[in-house]
Amino acid sequence: MAALKTVFFCGIGGSGMSALAQVLRHQGIAVRGSDRRRDNGQSTELFERLRADGIALFPQDGSGVDDSVDELIVSAAVEEHVPDVRAALRRAIPVRKRAEVLAELFNRAEGVAVGGTSGKTTVAGMIGHILKQAGRNPTAILGGSLLNDSSRMSGNAICGDSGLQVIEADESDGTIVLYEPSISVLTNISLDHKPLRELREMFLDFVQKARRAAVINMDCELSAALDVEGIGFGVDNCRAQVCAGNVRPLADGVAFDVSGTRFRLMVPGRHNVSNALAAVAACSALDVPLAQTADALATFAGIRRRLQVLGTEGSVTVIDDFAHNPDKIAATLSTLKEQPGRLLVMFQPTGFAPTRFLKDGLIAAFSAGLECGDQLAMPEIFYAGGTAVRDISSRDLIEAISGQGVNAVFFNTRTEIARWFAKEASPGDRVVIMGARDDTLTDFANGLLKSLAS
């Protein structure tokens, strides 16, 4: 990376891409980028923030990829027909995947890599926040924005010392195999993206590669069954070295104890207790005192779109949430049920193949997590482009869930759902907009909040 002077990110608006772009810019490399969402007038705040950080933005038409560019960086989803890629190939400019660049940076550092089916962004964010509060000046590259930095729409990176890094290791595209961490953190193993046997083998390799310590969730049977020596964490779990006891849900978070030290989180839910324990274990391996970790976590405001309360109008609260696989959905609904109030949930399924793969689990999660007074609405499956076999519909999920006694309704458009929720919502209700990989969901949630005020 030292020889690079100018790099170009094709698809710079992606959470992982924008975070890496900010870190490279911080390290003195000139960064350019393009994104079709910017060309379509979407996510304007994000792109304004990137420009303010000194990143030059261009249309995604190849015009920004000239002879001054040393390398084109692309996400796993970018294809060769994209004009920026064609321009790079025509000029013999090297093209590399984001994960390859990240691995090169990460593998030469004291690095904490967080892997697992769920909780990666929150755990990595917690670790980065703790290390920063402890004066360790880390670099963190996250898949979501830290709410602690409310002034930055793009707050998905902590730009600090390149010698101490915290990253998320993604299993969905197999790039987790590229990372060689000092500390591996395994949050859990559950069905998402790949079959469980394949996930187990991938995560086993991940934790075995840890040079200093492996941190493993002992509450997850599949994780514990890997039988790898390391630091185990768990809630009320006597097998775990880092164990939470006396867990107490609060109106504005959750409290618990670890080894006689009291912890209080501003983010709610038993799953966030587990996330915090993973961060505690990782930071203990980096010699951060437990009391200092507790103080830091007390100021952790959470991650954008992870049970994020957008506001309350007419005594109706609107919540934006990233949950999209069965485990995440179950954790979100369980946490929300710790407090009173009916739930009006819109879930946006994403991708025909993922929805087909997770169908049974999605049906089970909503059927078990919602009560008879709650309401569930779904629009059609979100389609991001490319080739897809459209042999499943959101209607299939709705029919199965309603057959379990849940008030579940299919709508052709989100506009119809917004009207339905605005009509149905009563004081004390909570409206939850749930789904992943679609930035317009937050816009929809904010629009719904405004409609409740009128």
Side-chain angles (χ1 to χ4, degrees):
M1 296 300 295
L4 297 179
K5 296 181 179 179
T6 302
V7 296
F8 191 102
F9 281 77
C10 179
I12 197 169
S15 57
M17 292 281 277
S18 61
L20 179 58
Q22 292 168 73
V23 167
L24 294 185
R25 180 74 188 93
H26 175 74
Q27 294 180 1
I29 296 174
V31 177
R32 301 179 180 181
S34 69
D35 197 282
R36 63 184 176 187
R37 286 182 299 163
R38 177 176 178 268
D39 295 347
N40 294 332
Q42 298 173 332
S43 302
T44 54
E45 290 183 71
L46 168 63
F47 296 117
E48 287 172 5
R49 184 65 253 176
L50 292 175
R51 189 187 295 278
D53 285 342
I55 294 172
L57 299 176
F58 295 82
Q60 199 172 83
D61 58 5
S63 61
V65 184
D66 57 28
D67 290 333
S68 67
V69 174
D70 298 308
E71 187 168 87
L72 181 76
I73 299 173
V74 300
S75 68
V78 172
E79 299 172 338
E80 287 192 6
H81 64 76
V82 175
D84 290 336
V85 178
R86 291 207 308 265
L89 295 175
R90 188 167 57 249
R91 296 174 182 274
I93 296 171
V95 179
R96 280 207 294 172
K97 298 286 181 67
R98 169 194 171 272
E100 296 170 337
V101 177
L102 178 57
E104 182 182 337
L105 289 173
F106 177 79
N107 290 346
R108 62 192 187 201
E110 177 84 352
V112 181
V114 182
T117 308
S118 302
K120 291 188 291 293
T121 300
T122 299
V123 172
M126 285 178 167
I127 294 170
H129 180 73
I130 293 165
L131 294 174
K132 184 177 180 180
Q133 295 298 111
R136 300 287 288 273
N137 191 30
T139 287
I141 298 175
L142 310 173
S145 297
L146 287 163
L147 294 179
N148 288 80
D149 199 349
S150 59
S151 65
R152 290 171 54 87
M153 175 69 179
S154 57
N156 53 352
I158 299 174
C159 296
D161 180 2
S162 62
L164 176 60
Q165 296 188 28
V166 183
I167 68 166
E168 297 176 42
D170 192 1
E171 83 288 349
S172 65
D173 58 4
T175 55
I176 189 172
V177 302
L178 299 176
Y179 306 113
E180 299 172 4
S182 298
I183 298 171
S184 294
V185 180
L186 179 56
T187 61
N188 56 9
I189 304 174
S190 62
L191 191 64
D192 192 12
H193 301 300
K194 299 179 184 297
L196 285 175
R197 184 167 64 177
E198 188 174 342
L199 288 173
R200 182 188 180 280
E201 293 172 357
M202 196 176 294
F203 288 128
L204 176 61
D205 175 72
F206 172 67
V207 295
Q208 286 179 331
K209 286 196 300 188
R211 299 192 301 270
R212 187 165 173 175
V215 174
I216 299 171
N217 185 354
M218 301 304 290
D219 290 334
C220 170
E221 291 186 11
L222 290 175
S223 299
L226 296 179
D227 196 25
V228 173
E229 184 176 351
I231 304 173
F233 67 91
V235 182
D236 295 323
N237 191 325
C238 61
R239 296 181 299 164
Q241 293 97 317
V242 178
C243 177
N246 196 22
V247 178
R248 305 175 298 284
L250 305 172
D252 56 351
V254 63
F256 57 95
D257 301 326
V258 177
S259 300
T261 299
R262 179 163 297 179
F263 282 73
R264 191 186 190 287
L265 303 180
M266 290 191 285
V267 290
R270 186 182 177 92
H271 68 292
N272 274 320
V273 175
S274 182
N275 289 336
L277 293 176
V280 169
C283 289
S284 71
L286 291 170
D287 302 319
V288 179
L290 188 62
Q292 201 168 25
T293 296
D295 289 343
L297 281 176
T299 66
F300 178 73
I303 301 289
R304 179 176 174 267
R305 294 211 69 230
R306 273 61 172 185
L307 273 173
Q308 182 185 0
V309 176
L310 299 182
T312 300
E313 293 289 352
S315 298
V316 176
T317 299
V318 176
I319 298 168
D320 193 16
D321 191 61
F322 187 73
H324 60 279
N325 68 34
D327 269 18
K328 289 182 172 74
I329 292 166
T332 290
L333 296 178
S334 175
T335 298
L336 291 169
K337 286 300 180 182
E338 291 175 352
Q339 302 297 332
R342 185 175 64 144
L343 301 181
L344 308 181
V345 179
M346 186 192 89
F347 175 64
Q348 175 64 76
T350 300
F352 292 94
T355 302
R356 188 186 315 112
F357 184 60
L358 298 174
K359 177 184 176 183
D360 292 344
L362 294 172
I363 293 167
F366 282 114
S367 299
L370 293 173
E371 298 172 354
C372 60
D374 300 325
Q375 297 183 357
L376 172 66
M378 285 189 204
E380 192 50 274
I381 295 169
F382 176 73
Y383 173 60
T387 56
V389 178
R390 305 189 189 195
D391 59 351
I392 188 171
S393 166
S394 296
R395 289 181 184 273
D396 300 320
L397 302 180
I398 288 294
E399 289 175 1
I401 295 167
S402 62
Q404 297 295 316
V406 175
N407 185 7
V409 184
F410 172 85
F411 290 90
N412 288 311
T413 68
R414 291 183 188 173
T415 301
E416 293 175 280
I417 294 175
R419 291 196 197 104
W420 189 50
F421 280 174
K423 178 183 176 182
E424 291 289 322
S426 301
D429 287 348
R430 290 162 294 167
V431 176
V432 187
I433 308 305
M434 192 181 289
R437 287 166 43 200
D438 180 0
D439 291 337
T440 64
L441 288 172
T442 298
D443 297 333
F444 176 81
N446 280 317
L448 187 57
L449 182 64
K450 291 179 182 177
S451 73
L452 291 170
S454 59

